[in-house]
Amino acid sequence: MQTAIAILTHTPPWVVALLALLIWQGCMALRPRSQPLARMLIVPAVFFLMGVSRLLLGGKSIGLLLVWVASATAFAALALYTGPRSVTIDGETGRILRPGSVVPLVRNLTVFMLQYAVAVVTAMKLGAIWEVAAAGQAVSGACAGYFLGWTIALLRSYRARLAVPATPQQIS
């Protein structure tokens, strides 16, 4: 119990703020909404940068670098395959119309908890063990790769939809 309290008391305030933001955005995602493209790219950008930061700060061996790259590659491919394939765009505002879904909430909280666990293990100096460091690099690579792939899938879908000329039925 003392370890859990120590972990929570040493958690920086920005981490708590990020968690609150992810919960708020996840709850908003439960119902249909429209968002500008730039707004949809904020969370993927944050998670991508978190994944890359671990590579820059923790990849002290070629083995750890290879773990990160392999994980990033696999999860980028997964996201390209499962990411947004078709988006609906409001013709007047250019905003993306999104159906309600629990997926963003579950996905983002899962990624947050995995990244948080990696940070805690690193802070506890357990990252000196190669297997622990490799697991941390794998999580970070997966995070960066997935959100890079998801962003590419979204941008492809968005550009493809913009390239389709409006039909008379879409205009009305």
Side-chain angles (χ1 to χ4, degrees):
M1 186 65 167
Q2 289 177 341
T3 303
I5 292 170
I7 289 170
L8 292 175
T9 58
H10 288 91
T11 297
W14 69 265
V15 173
V16 177
L18 177 60
L19 177 60
L21 174 68
L22 292 174
I23 292 170
W24 175 75
Q25 284 189 330
C27 290
M28 297 299 291
L30 294 173
R31 51 194 163 109
R33 70 217 179 278
S34 70
Q35 291 180 305
L37 177 63
R39 171 100 163 53
M40 288 186 64
L41 297 177
I42 293 171
V43 170
V46 168
F47 281 136
F48 174 77
L49 291 173
M50 286 175 70
V52 170
S53 71
R54 173 100 18 226
L55 172 67
L56 298 175
L57 298 174
K60 294 180 175 65
S61 75
I62 193 72
L64 292 176
L65 174 65
L66 291 175
V67 168
W68 191 96
V69 169
S71 182
T73 302
F75 277 81
L78 174 69
L80 282 168
Y81 180 73
T82 63
R85 292 186 183 196
S86 176
V87 296
T88 304
I89 301 173
D90 181 335
E92 293 177 19
T93 64
R95 293 168 66 100
I96 298 174
L97 304 173
R98 302 182 75 184
S101 173
V102 72
V103 171
L105 176 64
V106 172
R107 177 196 62 210
N108 293 347
L109 290 180
T110 300
V111 170
F112 175 87
M113 294 310 290
L114 288 170
Q115 288 285 19
Y116 184 75
V118 166
V120 167
V121 166
T122 300
M124 294 174 72
K125 307 292 188 234
L126 299 176
I129 302 168
W130 195 89
E131 292 81 7
V132 173
Q137 292 293 25
V139 166
S140 295
C143 179
Y146 178 85
F147 283 102
L148 177 63
W150 188 90
T151 299
I152 291 169
L154 174 66
L155 293 175
R156 279 184 184 167
S157 183
Y158 186 81
R159 289 182 65 193
R161 181 57 103 182
L162 288 178
V164 175
T167 63
Q169 297 159 342
Q170 290 174 320
I171 294 173
S172 57

